[in-house]
Amino acid sequence: MNQNLTTDRQTFVTHLECSITGERYEADQLHGLSRAGRPLLVRYDLDAVRSAVSRDTIEARPTDLWRWRELLPVRHTSNIVSLGEIETPLVPLTRSGGPNVLVKDEGRLPTGSFKARGLVMAVAMAKELGVTKIAMPTNGNAGAALAAYATRCGIETIVFCPDDTPEINVREIAMQGARVWRVNGLIDDCGAIVGKGAAEGRWFDFSTLKEPYRIEGKKTMGLELAAQFGWKLPDAIFYPTGGGTGLIGMWKAFDELEKLGWIGSERPKMFAVQASGCAPIVRAFEAGEEHAERWEDASTVAAGIRVPKAVGDFLILRAVRESGGQALAVGDPAILKAVDAAAKQDGLLLCPEGGATLAAYHQALNTGLVDEDERVVLFNCATGLKYPMPEAPQALDRTRPIDFDAL
């Protein structure tokens, strides 16, 4: 924990509100979804924030997630749980991407994925609000982040994942102290089990957007981008979209930064990237719908975006449309080709979901949705080291004559 967090404090949270009706909910109380069954959004006294802290003050702080503490919900620093949440770098992808393409490499975060942002905040707030037992459905990385942070502060955790979740994810969840169960279904089937147990009072439901604070952790991606771009925003953002918490969070961050006077009104075009084998947001976007119907028989190599139905669908679609962006679907062959290109041409191992953003960028470039001279950020949401790689079978017998030319 950095030196700026050594004293207790009060945040500037005023209340929570329903994302669809605007109904107000009290802060400092445990909430799930609103009475309308929709996500709750945390609201702040931004005038008080502006009086208390300046952009220059933020810039002078160590560049970790907690530098943004005035715009985060944890009331007391004693409730912060941390594994060292750094500001993630922007890595140029000049060969496989283009001269103005940057990857925000979220694989550098604790547990190797951007899920650490949302779960560190949600777990800290669960601790603050007295939660002792949590359950969650996961496609892998979120469960690992939850297990790590919950274990660190002594909260009991049960995780349910589809039975084809990558083995490394299942094992890291178990290794970090959670009870993990494989389920013969998809992530929303796992979520149904979590919801039933929560309704019976067995645990608190930590499903995506079913508690208010994961958005607040994920919005730090948008806060960081603003600072990294000198308080201007990139022209376009390509975001791998399953539950869409990060896209929703960044859009919220940009709004808060503008109200603080720290950025202008310009916004990036937001591209919600999905796999063609599971693209409910794309289908709804193209049909002009506000909500997305469940995608049946979802299948893709990018398990992290294999989310047949997102509870925050209308928030994702709203952000994409308001930004002038689009929802795009890319096929598995294009995803794998992009992962291979980034590794072989630029030396950066992308996860499949990160590969999807690179594939979608080229699709957008080819169809004129973006130009080569626009500054573009792709999100690599997890380290590529967690995912299967092609075999490298070549061997050399040191006891036999070596054909150096053949090497």
Side-chain angles (χ1 to χ4, degrees):
M1 193 179 299
N2 79 43
Q3 61 189 359
N4 294 297
L5 298 176
T6 55
T7 57
D8 221 15
R9 64 185 174 89
Q10 293 289 308
T11 67
F12 296 87
V13 174
T14 56
H15 64 284
L16 284 67
E17 70 179 34
C18 175
S19 54
I20 203 162
T21 67
E23 182 184 7
R24 186 179 176 120
Y25 290 74
E26 291 300 312
D28 306 311
Q29 295 180 12
L30 189 62
H31 296 289
L33 294 173
S34 72
R35 276 181 277 273
R38 297 300 177 184
L40 290 173
L41 301 175
V42 180
R43 297 304 185 196
Y44 300 84
D45 183 345
L46 294 175
D47 290 333
V49 171
R50 191 186 308 109
S51 299
V53 65
S54 69
R55 211 169 66 175
D56 291 343
T57 302
I58 296 289
E59 287 187 318
R61 291 175 177 169
T63 55
D64 64 7
L65 180 146
W66 298 103
R67 79 193 294 201
W68 304 100
R69 57 189 178 271
E70 287 84 3
L71 289 170
L72 298 175
V74 183
R75 293 282 191 200
H76 305 287
T77 56
S78 57
N79 290 317
I80 286 175
V81 51
S82 177
L83 287 164
E85 297 74 36
I86 64 164
E87 177 180 277
T88 57
L90 291 166
V91 182
L93 215 62
T94 51
R95 291 190 176 93
S96 60
N100 293 301
V101 176
L102 297 166
V103 172
K104 192 151 175 61
D105 190 10
E106 297 285 285
R108 317 291 179 98
L109 287 161
T111 70
S113 88
F114 67 173
K115 299 295 185 181
R117 292 184 187 272
L119 272 305
V120 70
M121 204 63 57
V123 169
M125 289 304 298
K127 179 186 176 187
E128 187 153 271
L129 297 171
V131 175
T132 58
K133 188 183 290 188
I134 289 169
M136 177 206 275
T138 186
N139 279 319
N141 284 318
L146 173 61
Y149 287 115
T151 294
R152 193 162 178 83
C153 64
I155 296 176
E156 188 180 349
T157 304
I158 305 97
V159 174
F160 301 89
C161 59
D163 54 10
D164 62 352
T165 297
E167 184 68 21
I168 190 169
N169 290 140
V170 180
R171 293 190 183 195
E172 69 177 321
I173 292 167
M175 185 73 176
Q176 291 177 126
R179 297 199 298 279
V180 57
W181 297 90
R182 303 171 199 258
V183 177
N184 56 340
L186 297 174
I187 190 169
D188 54 348
D189 299 308
C190 297
I193 297 170
V194 172
K196 188 173 190 303
E200 294 177 3
R202 297 176 183 275
W203 49 59
F204 186 69
D205 188 341
F206 244 50
S207 301
T208 301
L209 295 179
K210 290 189 178 178
E211 58 75 44
Y213 301 107
R214 219 192 296 189
I215 290 177
E216 297 305 294
K218 282 289 194 73
K219 86 178 182 188
T220 59
M221 295 187 295
L223 301 175
E224 284 181 18
L225 280 179
Q228 287 175 308
F229 276 85
W231 306 104
K232 302 281 186 183
L233 297 175
D235 296 307
I237 291 173
F238 287 76
Y239 188 81
T241 305
T245 316
L247 192 151
I248 296 164
M250 283 191 285
W251 200 242
K252 183 174 187 286
F254 300 152
D255 180 62
E256 291 172 354
L257 288 171
E258 183 184 355
K259 287 176 178 173
L260 286 170
W262 293 1
I263 64 170
S265 61
E266 300 84 5
R267 294 288 185 274
K269 289 178 284 189
M270 306 295 285
F271 289 90
V273 179
Q274 299 201 296
S276 55
C278 183
I281 299 298
V282 176
R283 184 172 62 191
F285 177 85
E286 291 175 347
E289 301 289 343
E290 187 179 3
H291 297 282
E293 293 297 316
R294 185 180 192 273
W295 189 277
E296 300 300 327
D297 302 317
S299 176
T300 173
V301 294
I305 52 176
R306 190 183 61 181
V307 177
K309 184 164 178 60
V311 68
D313 52 3
F314 67 102
L315 293 170
I316 300 166
L317 289 160
R318 187 183 299 169
V320 169
R321 288 179 175 130
E322 287 177 1
S323 74
Q326 285 210 18
L328 299 175
V330 290
D332 281 2
I335 291 172
L336 294 173
K337 182 180 177 182
V339 170
D340 190 64
K344 286 189 167 62
Q345 297 173 32
D346 284 293
L348 183 63
L349 282 176
L350 301 176
C351 63
E353 298 79 12
T357 68
L358 177 56
Y361 168 70
H362 284 297
Q363 180 178 308
L365 196 62
N366 291 336
T367 55
L369 296 174
V370 291
D371 297 323
E372 270 192 350
D373 61 352
E374 289 186 293
R375 298 182 307 167
V376 170
V377 172
L378 315 178
F379 271 84
N380 183 44
C381 51
T383 172
L385 294 170
K386 287 190 178 190
Y387 298 86
M389 300 180 205
E391 290 184 359
Q394 295 184 115
L396 197 64
D397 184 350
R398 65 178 178 81
T399 66
R400 299 175 64 84
I402 295 173
D403 183 352
F404 284 95
D405 290 334
L407 301 182

